[in-house]
């Protein structure tokens, strides 16, 4: 199913998206809310990012071709950094370029949404802790990224984590086409089969360190083809079966 969080008449709602119709739920789908029988339409609501995570764990350098374009070394263990909850951005909203940076990049990424508390999860059990998948843009102030140093500053600005438009529990994360388009031009194109560290391993690895909570997200890394965005640009990140995450740049 496809799950959405939305704003209608000033109130946050949760629903299941079927074509252009939303079947309204009694509460958050992460809490196993049930369908109320009420309906609304996609065109009548403002879609919000489908999750509001307590933490966003992000994997760097997880596609070989992207490591090459950044002139970095292939990691032996996952490169992990975090984005603050304040960087979350809804679909269709503005990515704000900060005054400290002259080069702000898009990074299309498969985003894993955790279903329930996960600690010391074995790799073979890991996918049972996944609620579903969505699209994220790991926006990065490339000129503030330090090679071998911390990445929290360059990736932690407000508006630097668009997520959406919906969560699907119907896709196989091991083989999904992934693409980004800047003003309609294809910039990144790959497939999640090219991930160096796969979703099940990442959940096991991360949960061996910290408890993953319901609604936490893992951004799994971006393929090659990153470049900067300017004011007025439109960036679209699309993953097979997960729709298009579109944002404007200001
Ligand atoms: Mg990234």
């Amino acid at each position: 199913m496809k799950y959405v969080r939305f704003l209608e008449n000033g109130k946050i709602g949760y629903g299941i998206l079927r074509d252009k119709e939303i079947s309204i739920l009694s509460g958050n789908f992460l809490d196993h809310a049930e369908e109320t029988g009420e309906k609304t339409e996609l065109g009548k609501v403002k879609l919000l990012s489908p999750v509001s995570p307590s933490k966003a764990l992000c994997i760097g350098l997880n596609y070989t071709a992207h490591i090459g374009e950044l002139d970095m070394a292939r990691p032996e263990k996952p490169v992990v950094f975090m984005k603050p909850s304040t960087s979350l951005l809804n679909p269709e909203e503005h990515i704000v370029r900060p005054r400290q940076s002259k080069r702000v990049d898009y990074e299309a990424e498969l985003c894993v949404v955790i279903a329930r508390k996960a600690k010391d999860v074995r790799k073979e059990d890991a996918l049972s802790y996944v609620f579903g998948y969505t699209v994220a843009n790991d926006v990065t102030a490339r000129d503030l990224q330090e090679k071998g140093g911390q990445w929290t500053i360059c990736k932690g600005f407000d508006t630097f984590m668009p997520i959406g438009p919906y969560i699907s529990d119907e896709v196989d994360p091991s083989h999904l086409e992934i693409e980004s388009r800047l003003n309609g031009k294809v910039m990144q194109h790959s497939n999640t089969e090219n991930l160096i560290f796969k979703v099940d391993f990442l959940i096991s690895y991360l949960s061996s360190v910290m408890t993953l909570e319901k609604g936490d997200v893992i951004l799994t890394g971006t393929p090659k083809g990153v470049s900067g965005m300017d004011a007025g640009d439109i960036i679209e990140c699309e993953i097979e079966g997960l729709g298009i995450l579109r944002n404007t740049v200001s």
Side-chain angles (χ1 to χ4, degrees):
M1 290 202 275
K2 293 173 180 168
Y3 297 91
V4 289
R5 192 168 70 110
F6 59 89
L7 204 57
E8 187 175 35
N9 300 324
K11 285 189 187 157
I12 292 179
Y14 299 86
I16 295 169
L17 181 65
R18 295 191 180 97
D19 194 19
K20 302 226 184 278
E21 188 174 78
I22 296 170
S23 170
I24 297 175
L25 295 170
S26 57
N28 193 335
F29 42 78
L30 291 170
D31 300 323
H32 310 290
E34 293 182 351
E35 293 184 66
T36 61
E38 290 176 66
K39 308 267 197 280
T40 186
E41 285 167 34
L42 193 56
K44 288 187 179 170
V45 305
K46 172 184 166 57
L47 284 188
L48 304 174
S49 54
V51 279
S52 181
S54 72
K55 57 183 173 293
L57 294 157
C58 309
I59 311 304
L61 310 178
N62 207 15
Y63 287 82
T64 304
H66 176 58
I67 296 170
E69 74 178 344
L70 292 184
D71 192 25
M72 292 196 186
R74 184 185 168 109
E76 287 177 18
K77 290 180 193 165
V79 172
V80 182
F81 61 94
M82 293 176 78
K83 276 165 130 48
S85 56
T86 43
S87 63
L88 188 66
L89 186 70
N90 297 315
E92 306 290 343
E93 289 185 347
H94 290 308
I95 296 164
V96 179
R97 293 175 308 142
R99 64 182 179 281
Q100 295 95 326
S101 174
K102 291 195 162 38
R103 160 102 189 238
V104 174
D105 286 13
Y106 53 83
E107 293 189 356
E109 310 207 357
L110 174 68
C111 178
V112 182
V113 181
I114 297 295
R116 56 196 164 100
K117 199 177 278 280
K119 178 64 181 166
D120 288 325
V121 171
R122 295 187 308 169
K123 188 178 157 196
E124 47 271 42
D125 300 329
L127 294 184
S128 73
Y129 288 81
V130 175
F131 183 83
Y133 301 89
T134 184
V135 186
N137 186 344
D138 173 21
V139 181
T140 302
R142 192 70 64 201
D143 52 350
L144 304 181
Q145 186 169 28
E146 299 170 25
K147 278 185 192 174
Q150 52 83 13
W151 293 0
T152 302
I153 294 295
C154 69
K155 290 169 177 282
F157 288 95
D158 291 358
T159 75
F160 270 28
M161 186 168 63
I163 292 179
Y166 55 79
I167 299 169
S168 171
D169 59 6
E170 294 171 335
V171 299
D172 172 2
S174 67
H175 188 89
L176 296 171
E177 292 288 303
I178 178 168
E179 182 169 290
S180 67
R181 295 181 293 273
L182 185 62
N183 302 321
K185 183 183 174 196
V186 176
M187 305 301 285
Q188 296 179 288
H189 188 94
S190 186
N191 190 291
T192 58
E193 69 190 8
N194 296 317
L195 283 172
I196 297 171
F197 299 107
K198 313 289 188 198
V199 172
D200 54 355
F201 173 81
L202 291 172
I203 291 171
S204 178
Y205 179 76
L206 294 168
S207 77
S208 75
V209 177
M210 65 190 89
T211 301
L212 305 180
E213 303 273 17
K214 177 171 61 180
D216 282 352
V217 296
I218 302 170
L219 276 62
T220 53
T222 205
K224 87 166 199 191
V226 296
S227 72
M229 300 178 290
D230 292 318
D233 282 351
I234 296 170
I235 181 67
E236 292 174 305
C237 301
E238 180 169 12
I239 297 177
E240 185 182 358
L242 301 178
I244 300 170
L245 172 63
R246 184 187 297 105
N247 293 95
T248 45
V249 181
S250 69

